[in-house]
């Protein structure tokens, strides 16, 4: 494992490319862009669809990788 990756600061803004995947609270979210505002879509703990706005995702925290 590279220590350089551990020192690289996490960007504050999530990606903006459609179909990007990020992790938040241990769950994956995919960026959907269609009509209206882009939204991050994932599932809650019961498998139901769950959406987050970009602001909500920033507030909750996110990562490009799943937490170990």
């Amino acid at each position: 494992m590279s220590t350089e990756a551990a020192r690289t600061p996490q960007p504050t803004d999530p990606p903006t490319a459609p179909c990007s995947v990020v992790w938040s609270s241990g769950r994956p979210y995919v960026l959907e862009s269609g009509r209206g505002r882009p939204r991050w879509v994932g599932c809650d703990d019961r498998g139901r669809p769950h959406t987050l706005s970009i602001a909500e995702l920033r507030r909750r925290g996110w990562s490009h990788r799943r937490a170990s």
Side-chain angles (χ1 to χ4, degrees):
M1 181 172 158
S2 172
T3 57
E4 182 179 322
R7 285 188 238 143
T8 304
Q10 178 68 33
T12 56
D13 290 330
T16 57
C19 300
S20 296
V21 177
V22 298
W23 291 83
S24 179
S25 302
R27 303 195 182 282
Y29 287 86
V30 177
L31 181 60
E32 283 189 352
S33 61
R35 289 188 262 167
R37 296 182 182 162
R39 62 186 183 161
W40 291 92
V41 180
C43 292
D44 68 9
D45 59 342
R46 295 184 181 194
R48 298 176 294 202
H50 185 246
T51 62
L52 298 173
S53 68
I54 293 172
E56 289 173 312
L57 188 64
R58 275 191 215 116
R59 188 172 44 251
R60 291 175 69 156
W62 64 275
S63 173
H64 285 288
R65 298 183 192 173
R66 184 177 184 175
S68 306

